[in-house]
């Protein structure tokens, strides 16, 4: 048998916005998350679903940072890509951007099976901010798009079960502290791309688990799944059981439909064009759920699609597959356990929606997929061969700390970087080193073992700052405040501590004191700032925005204006700050000037999915309808 599968490097050029720096302020609060169910609604849900809806939902983004440094200016940029190809399929993967499969072409018909986005435009849809549309993405961590959406993964060649090659992608997911891997290969003689996925819990305690594979397909596709009912999650943000929508349904507002597939039925979902051609995704039974997401036919949904993909490029919808029946649930991963499954993506042609499963069984029998999963499992432990891309050093730090053995997913010390250096020193000596130069603090590690180390380390101001962040993450907010207050008298940099204390004040309803601390923090940052480089600029922008918002909340408009004027001109020109300026002008009693900001035009690059900030501020300016360019509304007015 001749194996013709090849893995090669390639350069993919896209019209792309710069990703920019991470936000250096620790995210002490979650971003707004749309996918939450009211406690009262759980009473009417199946018992197992209601239990998983309440199983350890995400309460903090720490230790991950927000990614909000991107803009809206796009220029041609080159991205390192990995291409897997045989005589039937060609898959293009971006290991530096979450391992996204951005293209899957069926060579015999020259059909692109996915929605291939012609641009790379980050937007605020991931749990930690930056996310981009298109292709197949691997979502791990918690409800929503993974924090790894725009992050690099490790990648390497690995032997495949049929004697060919696999592309292995792996990383350490930091929200739940879990290593995972995705093995992609094209079996000899098959029209399907296989994805073998494994998530491991190496800890001596249970950990909440989450996984949804999300595939963008052209918007005009009919979506078919083996179910007669679905759990709908629409703009009212309630979960209720409905008949399966029409195959090409487009409600006015964005909606999720989680297909209620009967027990024992094969797990699959297909997206077909008007002639019955398209993509099918299927898996072994471990991947229980199937979902369809649509942006809706209303102006807000149309604007989001145009914003994410560019005008005139055609819209998309998503078909997804996950570990639970709905995307609002988490599963329990027992101590020192793992879960794995096999997915398959390939072309399918069906004369009608009713015979999709029959056609799928002919193209890829269910028993054959189960056998392929069993054959892959021993290869999941195979050590990677030629390295093709490098991810983060956080997995190496955790392996160094716990001396874990994770066959198949090595995290060598050579991947450690400057970010991990102080934590490696804490692990080695018991002391968190003081920064060698004045700069914004680095990221904080917050897991219990790191918090324990911080508590026993010498109590320097730098250590107390990080300890307070870890205590805050653990829910011990009073102790966090005490740690930050202890650090203040001797701290060379006051602004990181004052900002944390200001957030704590806001959480306790002390908004006047929070505003005062924010103003002091920003003044201290301006005195300390060493240059106008990327790191300091990101700190000034993040703190300045929070300070202006806090001051406006307590009607200290003159102080808010002083912070605004102290921002660099390049920061004030950003869309987010143009919106903030309009709010400030309105607070100063200058509605005409605020209206002029809207008339001049701006784009809030990091507008959060579901946010109605633009519409709310516009409504304060008059009775005119919200201009289309600012209409990102995902819910009817009044909801």
């Amino acid at each position: 048998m001749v194996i013709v599968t090849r893995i090669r490097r390639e350069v993919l050029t896209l019209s792309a916005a710069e990703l920019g720096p991470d936000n250096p302020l620790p995210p002490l609060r979650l971003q707004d998350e749309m996918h939450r169910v009211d406690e009262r609604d759980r009473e009417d849900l199946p018992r197992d679903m209601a239990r998983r809806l309440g199983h350890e939902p995400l309460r903090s983004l720490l230790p991950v940072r927000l990614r909000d440094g991107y803009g809206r200016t796009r220029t041609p940029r080159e991205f390192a890509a990995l291409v897997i190809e045989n005589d039937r399929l060609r898959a293009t993967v971006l290991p530096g951007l979450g391992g996204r499969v951005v293209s899957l072409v069926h060579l015999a018909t020259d059909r692109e099976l996915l929605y291939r986005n012609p641009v790379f435009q980050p937007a605020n849809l991931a749990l930690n901010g930056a996310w981009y549309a298109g292709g197949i993405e691997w979502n791990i961590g918690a409800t929503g798009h993974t924090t790894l959406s725009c992050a690099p993964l490790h990648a390497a060649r690995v032997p495949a079960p049929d004697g060919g090659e696999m592309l292995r992608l792996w990383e350490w997911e930091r929200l739940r502290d879990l290593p995972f891997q995705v093995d992609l290969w094209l079996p000899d003689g098959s029209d399907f791309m296989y994805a073998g996925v494994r998530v491991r819990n190496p800890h001596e305690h249970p950990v909440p688990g989450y996984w949804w594979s999300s595939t963008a397909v052209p918007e005009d596709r009919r979506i078919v799944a083996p179910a007669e009912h679905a759990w709908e999650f629409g703009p009212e943000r309630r979960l209720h059981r409905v008949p399966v929508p029409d195959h090409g349904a487009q409600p006015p507002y964005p909606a999720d439909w989680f297909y209620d597939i009967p027990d024992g039925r094969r797990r699959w979902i297909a997206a077909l064009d008007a002639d019955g051609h398209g993509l099918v995704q299927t898996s072994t039974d471990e991947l229980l759920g199937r979902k369809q997401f649509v942006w809706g036919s209303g102006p807000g949904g149309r604007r989001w699609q145009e914003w994410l993909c560019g005008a005139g490029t055609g819209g998309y919808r998503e078909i997804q597959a996950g570990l639970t029946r709905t995307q609002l649930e988490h599963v329990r991963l027992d101590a020192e356990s793992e879960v794995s499954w096999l997915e398959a993506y390939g072309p399918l042609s069906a004369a009608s929606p009713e015979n999709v499963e029959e056609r799928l069984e002919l193209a890829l029998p269910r028993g054959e997929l189960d056998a392929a999963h069993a054959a892959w499992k021993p290869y999941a432990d195979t050590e990677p061969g030629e390295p093709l891309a490098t991810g983060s050093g956080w997995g190496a730090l955790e392996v160094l700390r716990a001396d874990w053995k994770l066959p198949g997913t090595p995290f060598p010390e050579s991947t450690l970087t400057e970010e991990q250096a102080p934590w490696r020193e804490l692990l080695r000596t018991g002391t968190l080193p003081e920064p060698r130069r004045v700069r914004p603090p680095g990221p904080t590690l917050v897991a219990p073992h790191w918090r324990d180390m911080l508590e026993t380390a010498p109590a320097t101001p730098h250590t107390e700052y990080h300890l307070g962040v870890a205590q805050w993450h653990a829910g011990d907010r009073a102790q966090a405040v005490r740690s930050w207050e202890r650090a203040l008298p001797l701290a060379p940099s006051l602004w990181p501590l004052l900002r944390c204390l200001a957030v704590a004040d806001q959480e306790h309803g002390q908004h006047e004191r929070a505003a005062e601390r924010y103003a002091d923090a920003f003044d201290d940052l301006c005195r300390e700032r060493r240059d106008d480089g990327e790191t300091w600029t990101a700190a000034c922008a993040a703190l300045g925005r929070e300070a202006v918002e806090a001051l406006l909340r307590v009607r200290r408009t003159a102080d808010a204006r002083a912070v605004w004027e102290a921002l660099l001109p390049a920061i004030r020109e950003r869309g987010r700050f143009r919106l903030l300026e309009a709010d400030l002008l309105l607070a100063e009693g200058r509605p005409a000037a605020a209206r002029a900001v809207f008339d001049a035009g701006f784009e809030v690059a990091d507008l959060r999915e579901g946010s109605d900030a633009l519409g709310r501020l516009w409504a304060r300016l008059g009775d005119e309808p919200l201009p289309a360019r600012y209409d990102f509304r995902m819910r009817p007015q009044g909801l």
Side-chain angles (χ1 to χ4, degrees), residues 320-338:
Q320 303 188 17
L323 282 174
T324 51
R325 277 188 287 181
T326 76
Q327 206 172 48
L328 315 178
E329 306 165 63
H330 297 85
V331 299
R332 171 189 165 111
L333 296 181
D334 290 330
E336 299 178 333
S337 70
E338 66 178 53

Side-chain angles (χ1 to χ4, degrees), residues 202-214:
H203 302 280
E204 296 178 347
H205 55 82
V207 175
Y210 176 91
W211 185 280
W212 280 80
S213 303
S214 177

Side-chain angles (χ1 to χ4, degrees), residues 295-319:
W295 279 108
S297 60
R302 309 317 305 168
R303 181 70 178 117
W304 268 109
Q305 296 227 48
E306 178 185 72
W307 215 52
L308 291 166
C309 308
T313 56
Y316 72 93
R317 59 180 73 206
E318 292 174 357
I319 57 174

Side-chain angles (χ1 to χ4, degrees), residues 447-463:
H449 41 266
W450 292 106
R451 188 174 71 248
D452 290 346
M453 282 185 258
L454 288 169
E455 287 176 343
T456 57
T460 65
H462 185 60
T463 300

Side-chain angles (χ1 to χ4, degrees), residues 48 53 120 150 193 196 374-375 378 396 409 416 422 452 504 517 520 537 626 628:
D48 62 332
L53 282 168
F120 171 71
C150 292
M193 178 184 75
T409 54
L416 293 169
D452 290 346
R517 279 177 161 155
D520 291 344
T537 298
L626 182 65

Side-chain angles (χ1 to χ4, degrees), residues 111 222 271-279 347-353 355-356:
R111 286 198 185 104
R222 299 177 297 162
L272 308 176
D273 65 18
D275 296 323
H277 306 302
L279 170 78
L348 189 82
S349 295
S352 69
N355 75 340
V356 171

Side-chain angles (χ1 to χ4, degrees), residues 425-573:
E425 184 69 12
L426 175 64
L427 182 63
R428 189 177 66 85
T429 67
T431 298
L432 189 69
E434 289 294 307
R436 295 180 179 177
R437 55 190 174 90
V438 176
R439 59 182 174 181
T444 302
L445 294 182
V446 297
H449 41 266
W450 292 106
R451 188 174 71 248
D452 290 346
M453 282 185 258
L454 288 169
E455 287 176 343
T456 57
T460 65
H462 185 60
T463 300
E464 293 280 23
Y465 162 79
H466 285 290
L467 175 58
V469 175
Q471 290 165 331
W472 182 273
H473 169 77
D476 192 352
R477 296 189 169 184
Q479 189 58 57
V481 168
R482 285 193 286 272
S483 295
W484 294 325
E485 288 178 339
R486 278 197 306 268
L488 275 174
L490 297 177
S493 295
L494 300 180
W495 66 267
L497 296 160
L498 290 170
R499 182 263 176 178
C500 289
L501 289 167
V503 173
D505 287 336
Q506 288 179 328
E507 291 296 292
H508 289 97
Q510 302 292 328
H511 296 291
E512 289 283 355
R513 187 167 66 182
E516 186 67 30
R517 279 177 161 155
Y518 264 123
D520 291 344
F522 188 76
D523 287 345
D524 186 67
L525 172 58
C526 290
R527 287 191 296 267
E528 184 175 284
R529 187 177 71 203
R530 293 298 188 265
D531 54 51
D532 294 337
E534 185 178 81
T535 301
W536 284 106
T537 298
C540 287
L543 185 58
R545 172 185 165 184
E546 290 185 11
V548 171
E549 290 172 344
L551 290 161
L552 288 179
R553 183 166 189 167
V554 296
R555 297 182 174 85
R556 289 175 54 174
T557 54
D559 292 328
R561 171 60 65 182
V563 172
W564 169 265
E565 295 295 343
L567 292 169
L568 295 172
I571 294 175
R572 296 201 300 264
E573 291 170 3

